[in-house]
Amino acid sequence: MTALFYIAAVVAVLSTLMVVTRTNLVHALLYLVVSLFAVAVVFYTLGAPFVAALEVIVYAGAIMMLFLFAVMLLNVGADSPLRIPSWAWVGPGILVAVLLAEVVYGITRQTQPLAGAEVGPAAVSEALYGPYVLGVELASMLLLAALIGARHVAARARDEEEAREAATHRGAAAGEASPERDAGVPGAARGSETGVTGQGGEA
Amino acid sequence: MADVSLDHGLVLAAILFAIGFAGLLTRRNLIVVLACIEIMLNAAGLAFVAAGARWGQADGQVMFLFVLAMAAAEVAVGLAIAIRFRQSLKSLDVDDADEMKG
Amino acid sequence: MLSLLWLIPALPAAGFVLLVLLNRRLGRAGTALIGAGSVGLSALVALLVCGSFIASPPAGDAYHQVLWTWLDVAGFAPTIGFYLDAVSVTWVLVITGVGFLIHLYSTEHMEHDEGYTRFFMYLNLFVASMLILVLADNLLLLYLGWEGVGLCSYLLISFWHKDPQNVYSGRKAFIVTRVGDTAMIAGLFLLFTQLGTLQIQPLMRAAEEAWAPNSGVAIAAALLLLGGAVGKSAQVPLQTWLPDAMAGPSPVSALIHAATMVTAGVYLIARTNVLFELAGDARLVVAIVGVVTLLIAGFSALVQHDLKRALAYSTISQIGYMFLALGVAGWEAGVFHFMTHAFFKALLFLGAGVIIEALADEHDIFKMGGLRTRLPAVFWTFTIGAAALAALPFVTDGFYSKDLIIATSLGSVDGNLWFYFGSLVGAFVTTLYSFRLVWLVFFGERHTEVTRRPRWRQLVPLYVLAVLSIIGGFVWLPAWIGAFHPLEDFLDTALPPMEWAGQYAHFAESAGAALLIILIVYVGIGLSYLLWMPWRQSTHAFAESPAVRPLVAFWTGGWGFDWLYDRVFVRPIRWLAHAGRADVVDYVPRGIAWLNLAAWRGLSAGQTGRLRAYVAVAGFGVVLVLAVVVLR
């Protein structure tokens, strides 16, 4: 079990590094899925099977699916023309290194063993429907708000898209050749924009 | 149950958080930025769970649940915004949104 | 009767106020009435008060009238108070008497001037200030009068202000006397901080008790006051302003720059005689200043072409005699000469005014000539004045006072041979230049015609002053004529008596010394006649000859003082002003503004509008906070 913890930890760290450094967007997201799986294993080794399952189902399952669907909607190209220059990592690297050093220093000043017992789903649900029931309700309200908000924001995008299309079609019908018109035929459902295939400015 | 000490778990969480933060500072693609935010949230949740395991209580896991719910909500709205972003700025480069300049 | 003392300065002050208030509404007659009338009334009151003082002297030979306390701060409480003793009586009578005559003269002289009311306004203010100066019972009030007369001097010198040259002259006078005034105020500070009061009589007593004779602080205080006196009385080295002050109207020259204001320095030293008695070295400086000035100015007067400038240098020279007298502790002699000088110098200036006006503003004596027949009244009065200046023996008051000073310079307890010879040479030169004026202006062939004749308001003052110039000396006859010296007895009540001491004292007092002076005067008159009457052409040629010409130019320019001051002071200051015209101090506020803008630019450059930059900054902040927390 202890070995499993360290192996899963290493996998998590490595795959997270890959997420951050890949230029191909889909590759990065898939590496993120791997990282989330590894963290789920870590949860299991820590004696928290419930959240391990939750991590896989919700995080790796739902949230990452959301990411991938958005990528598909945005019609992001497979490869970006621009690379991340190596010198761009220096500044953030230093800052993050200092941050990490401080936090690790603060953490490792004292060492404490884990309790040793597994905290199963039963205990968690008892806590959830016990003292944290209000939090649960609020969380569900939050999700409802996010749902409505996301739908609203996205729908606006679609409406504007349609209005622009109508304007350009009208211009074409009146005899003017609009140069932007033929750079891709935007479907209302797809919502991607003219001319720029591939994500802009991927560095 | 693994026989690890608390600080190892917390250090793992710190490392994951640091990587996510570095990615946030460096990457310019909006989707990748959102992904880095997810990494950081995940690391925070890991820290909570590890702390809960230290005491053998469910509170850490409950906190992780809330973090999870919040992350999901955030991703939903964030991606919707990304769609709008792409629509008005014609690219997914975060640096292009600099109207607050000056 | 003595309680009317305060009216003496108050009346001219009231005249000033009335003229200011009623400025535009008064005609010539009204202005003349108020302007000359106020001084006339003041003269009347002065006669009454001083007459009462002389006839029945109050206790202690002094009358002190306090009107109110000026201010009272931390123990410093100067009063508005007037102190009448023999010295101030002399000055008051001269100021009001001669002042009234000059006012009367001005009502005629300035008649065609558009600034008529303004003129009398300033003149009244001047008389009021001068009276405050001489009557003040404390040095602060004296300084008030001092500054007042300085202001009026400036206003009146630049009276015809449309011509910038006149304004420059006024400005020069003000600035040069300012130098002296600064020394004086420093002296007042010194006196106050050392002795705790500025009331003159208590101050003098405190000085006597607190300071040892010839102590450093006494000498310092005396020298600082001397600085002020030198400035106001136009002595070396601050004498450069007086010749240029002739830019003002002639009555101004007569009143301010001959009879009264320039004698303020003499008054100051006489008033604080205790201090100068205490500081023997300072007194020596006074005498040296006096003798040097009288010689320098005398030679300068000898070569002047401008009538009023010649008289101005003559004034400087004669005040040098007064300073010499004071310096050798001949206090009464100095006061005596002040009085006689006021008479004949005012006379000379008023006469010069008539002449200049008659010849349509001609100042150059070489363009005058032959006026004896045309302006006979002026001729006789002017000649009397010149004779008094030259100390014509027995019949002029100048003889008695100047003879006394020359004798004192030798025989007084502080006298010495150098002073004696200096004053003798000075007397000889005085004779030369004063009669030079007479010969050149009134004799010889006429170069300019008389276009305007004086009338009674100008002539009467001339007559009165001429009479005074003759009889004014009879109040103090020298010892070898007879023991008639009521003036000396009178002044002895306020000033330390003159002491004759030393090996030359007996000779100095004797008839022999006086004979020497008489000889010098007659030789001088004769020589001047020869030089400027039959030998006029040769004298001109001699003065123009290449060997002599530089010397003449040097004397005409006042021995190069103006040139020196221009090089040493004026030019560097102008250069500094020009170099600093970028207003260096302005860089401070401008720099602050620039700094603000630069900071703004710097800070707004940091607002890139980019998300990542903001996150980076937030992260940096987190790092710092964590560092504080973790490393505690």
Side-chain angles (χ1 to χ4, degrees):
Chain A
M1 206 54 136
T2 315
L4 189 57
F5 170 85
Y6 287 109
I7 294 170
V10 168
V11 171
V13 171
L14 285 177
S15 56
T16 310
L17 274 170
M18 299 300 264
V19 171
V20 164
T21 53
R22 295 303 100 196
T23 52
N24 187 327
L25 187 53
V26 176
H27 289 188
L29 291 174
L30 291 176
Y31 273 116
L32 184 53
V33 173
V34 171
S35 165
L36 293 171
F37 268 109
V39 171
V41 172
V42 168
F43 283 153
Y44 178 75
T45 58
L46 287 177
F50 180 56
V51 288
L54 233 46
E55 174 93 351
V56 173
I57 297 170
V58 177
Y59 228 127
I63 292 177
M64 292 321 297
M65 286 308 110
L66 203 53
F67 264 100
L68 289 164
F69 269 111
V71 167
M72 184 187 76
L73 271 176
L74 290 172
N75 203 16
V76 179
D79 269 300
S80 75
L82 298 159
R83 320 298 290 173
I84 308 166
S86 356
W87 55 260
W89 285 102
V90 172
I94 293 174
L95 186 64
V96 160
V98 172
L99 180 64
L100 186 59
E102 281 178 2
V103 173
V104 167
Y105 173 70
I107 292 172
T108 54
R109 269 196 292 204
Q110 49 182 0
T111 179
Q112 298 168 62
L114 294 181
E118 176 184 292
V119 182
V124 176
S125 27
E126 269 173 34
L128 274 178
Y129 286 97
Y132 290 104
V133 64
L134 196 56
V136 173
E137 299 303 321
L138 288 173
S140 51
M141 253 188 260
L142 175 64
L143 287 169
L144 181 64
L147 177 67
I148 297 172
R151 184 248 175 243
H152 205 75
V153 171
R156 225 1 134 64
R158 188 198 58 200
D159 291 339
E160 277 188 10
E161 186 65 44
E162 285 175 349
R164 211 168 304 154
E165 242 179 84
T168 35
H169 280 158
R170 248 181 277 122
E176 299 170 55
S178 166
E180 302 103 63
R181 199 165 72 81
D182 19 45
V185 181
R190 288 201 283 172
S192 63
E193 210 16 64
T194 60
V196 187
T197 54
Q199 61 285 34
E202 169 88 54
Chain B
M1 268 294 304
D3 187 18
V4 284
S5 54
L6 174 64
D7 45 312
H8 288 200
L10 291 179
V11 166
L12 172 62
I15 292 173
L16 288 177
F17 184 91
I19 296 171
F21 191 46
L24 179 62
L25 290 177
T26 316
R27 298 299 297 265
R28 285 163 68 174
N29 190 319
L30 184 57
I31 308 294
V32 177
V33 164
L34 285 171
C36 289
I37 293 175
E38 291 309 308
I39 296 171
M40 289 196 285
L41 283 169
N42 187 36
L46 171 59
F48 269 118
V49 170
R54 151 79 180 94
W55 300 102
Q57 292 170 353
D59 298 71
Q61 300 188 36
V62 168
M63 280 313 303
F64 179 81
L65 193 83
F66 292 142
V67 168
L68 200 55
M70 190 266 292
E74 176 239 328
V75 163
V77 179
L79 287 171
I81 290 176
I83 293 175
R84 292 293 299 280
F85 188 98
R86 170 62 172 266
Q87 188 181 57
S88 52
L89 284 150
K90 308 286 183 291
S91 87
L92 281 175
D93 187 345
V94 165
D95 278 352
D96 283 349
D98 59 359
E99 269 186 51
M100 292 282 277
K101 191 174 168 164
Chain C
M1 194 57 73
L2 286 177
S3 58
L4 294 177
L5 181 59
W6 65 276
L7 271 182
I8 301 179
L11 282 168
F16 164 71
V17 170
L18 272 178
L19 286 172
V20 169
L21 291 175
L22 301 175
N23 192 350
R24 300 264 175 251
R25 281 175 248 165
L26 287 173
R28 290 282 187 264
T31 308
L33 194 64
I34 296 179
S38 63
V39 178
L41 271 178
S42 179
L44 209 60
V45 174
L47 271 176
L48 289 173
V49 168
C50 298
S52 159
F53 183 90
I54 297 172
S56 49
D61 290 308
Y63 174 68
H64 189 200
Q65 182 182 53
V66 176
L67 294 180
W68 69 86
T69 306
W70 189 350
L71 53 98
D72 194 343
V73 173
F76 177 55
T79 56
I80 305 289
F82 299 127
Y83 182 80
L84 193 67
D85 68 352
V87 174
S88 37
V89 161
T90 317
W91 253 272
V92 163
L93 286 175
V94 168
I95 295 169
T96 53
V98 175
F100 172 64
L101 289 173
I102 294 176
H103 274 73
L104 182 62
Y105 174 94
S106 310
T107 58
E108 174 70 53
H109 188 83
M110 301 296 294
E111 199 167 40
H112 298 294
D113 200 296
E114 52 167 348
Y116 196 71
T117 314
R118 189 165 57 99
F119 184 78
F120 279 97
M121 203 191 301
Y122 293 157
L123 220 55
N124 271 12
L125 181 63
F126 170 80
V127 173
S129 304
M130 189 74 202
L131 285 168
I132 290 178
L133 198 164
V134 300
L135 284 174
D137 72 339
N138 64 74
L139 286 175
L140 195 62
L141 189 59
L142 189 149
Y143 193 68
L144 175 74
W146 191 273
E147 289 298 313
V149 299
L151 169 69
C152 295
S153 168
Y154 165 75
L155 289 172
L156 286 164
I157 292 173
S158 37
F159 183 71
W160 292 312
H161 55 82
K162 300 251 168 58
D163 181 356
Q165 276 307 116
N166 298 339
V167 179
Y168 294 153
S169 303
R171 187 178 69 184
K172 179 177 177 180
F174 195 80
I175 293 176
V176 175
T177 48
R178 231 320 149 245
V179 176
D181 295 345
T182 311
M184 181 164 164
I185 200 81
L188 292 189
F189 283 148
L190 181 62
L191 286 170
F192 180 67
T193 51
Q194 292 294 315
L195 299 172
T197 176
L198 284 180
Q199 302 288 120
I200 297 182
Q201 301 308 316
L203 181 67
M204 293 295 116
R205 281 194 291 274
E208 263 184 317
E209 285 170 35
W211 292 346
N214 246 350
S215 59
V217 62
I219 295 180
L223 284 178
L224 285 171
L225 290 181
L226 175 63
V230 159
K232 210 48 124 200
S233 296
Q235 300 294 288
V236 167
L238 297 175
Q239 89 285 13
T240 52
W241 63 272
L242 193 52
D244 288 327
M246 297 299 114
S250 297
V252 169
S253 308
L255 182 58
I256 300 185
H257 304 124
T260 45
M261 186 185 94
V262 290
T263 61
V266 179
Y267 174 79
L268 179 68
I269 298 179
R271 214 358 125 225
T272 55
N273 60 77
V274 170
L275 200 59
F276 283 89
E277 286 270 311
L278 217 47
D281 288 347
R283 217 170 50 236
L284 183 62
V285 174
V286 173
I288 293 175
V289 164
V291 81
V292 167
T293 308
L294 74 90
L295 285 172
I296 288 180
F299 282 108
S300 289
L302 194 52
V303 294
Q304 295 297 321
H305 285 224
D306 184 319
L307 177 59
K308 283 178 68 177
R309 268 183 101 92
L311 292 175
Y313 276 111
S314 165
T315 306
I316 298 175
S317 178
Q318 295 305 305
I319 298 181
Y321 270 101
M322 295 179 220
F323 268 61
L324 174 60
L326 296 175
V328 294
W331 310 102
E332 290 89 345
V335 175
F336 185 28
H337 196 59
F338 148 71
M339 190 181 80
T340 60
H341 174 262
F343 297 149
F344 62 71
K345 198 43 74 62
L347 171 61
L348 285 170
F349 268 111
L350 292 183
V354 172
I355 294 169
I356 290 170
E357 201 191 15
L359 299 181
D361 212 38
E362 178 58 65
H363 286 243
D364 190 337
I365 53 178
F366 289 102
K367 299 215 177 72
M368 299 178 187
L371 295 177
R372 190 176 80 253
T373 46
R374 281 284 184 258
L375 300 169
V378 180
F379 166 62
W380 284 110
T381 51
F382 193 92
T383 308
I384 292 174
L389 176 57
L392 191 68
F394 301 115
V395 294
T396 60
D397 61 356
F399 168 68
Y400 294 104
S401 59
K402 193 177 287 188
D403 171 55
L404 190 59
I405 292 183
I406 297 176
T408 316
S409 71
L410 182 64
S412 170
V413 64
D414 283 327
N416 66 50
L417 273 176
W418 292 106
F419 293 154
Y420 183 60
F421 284 132
S423 54
L424 279 182
V425 170
F428 182 65
V429 174
T430 308
T431 320
L432 278 181
Y433 71 66
S434 53
F435 273 92
R436 167 180 180 259
L437 292 177
V438 172
W439 306 130
L440 284 176
V441 171
F442 294 106
F443 290 82
E445 65 175 82
R446 216 172 313 125
H447 292 112
T448 315
E449 285 304 324
V450 170
T451 46
R452 204 179 147 217
R453 308 190 131 275
R455 282 181 287 281
W456 71 269
R457 276 181 284 164
Q458 285 176 307
L459 290 177
V460 164
L462 290 178
Y463 294 146
V464 174
L465 286 171
V467 169
L468 283 173
S469 297
I470 296 176
I471 64 168
F474 296 151
V475 290
W476 189 344
L477 299 178
W480 53 271
I481 292 185
F484 181 68
H485 37 76
L487 182 62
E488 183 183 13
D489 298 330
F490 179 57
L491 289 175
D492 269 344
T493 62
L495 292 169
M498 297 187 347
E499 291 167 30
W500 300 87
Q503 54 187 129
Y504 300 109
H506 191 70
F507 168 70
E509 277 187 292
S510 69
L515 212 56
L516 184 58
I517 297 171
I518 295 172
L519 200 63
I520 288 174
V521 170
Y522 279 123
V523 167
I525 296 177
L527 186 61
S528 73
Y529 172 77
L530 288 175
L531 283 177
W532 282 289
M533 288 293 282
W535 299 347
R536 195 182 287 197
Q537 300 304 329
S538 348
T539 314
H540 286 331
F542 178 66
E544 296 289 311
S545 65
V548 181
R549 201 149 182 224
L551 183 64
V552 170
F554 182 60
W555 284 348
T556 314
W559 291 63
F561 274 89
D562 271 328
W563 178 92
L564 182 68
Y565 290 158
D566 184 52
R567 293 287 183 289
V568 173
F569 296 116
V570 176
R571 290 200 188 177
I573 290 180
R574 292 183 95 158
W575 177 86
L576 264 178
H578 184 74
R581 72 190 181 286
D583 201 359
V584 180
V585 181
D586 216 27
Y587 282 135
V588 173
R590 261 197 264 153
I592 293 176
W594 177 87
L595 211 65
N596 266 303
L597 280 176
W600 169 73
R601 272 190 288 267
L603 284 175
S604 54
Q607 300 291 317
T608 55
R610 292 195 197 154
L611 178 69
R612 296 188 300 142
Y614 296 161
V615 171
V617 171
F620 187 66
V622 167
V623 165
L624 282 178
V625 170
L626 269 182
V628 169
V629 167
V630 158
L631 294 174
R632 186 185 290 265

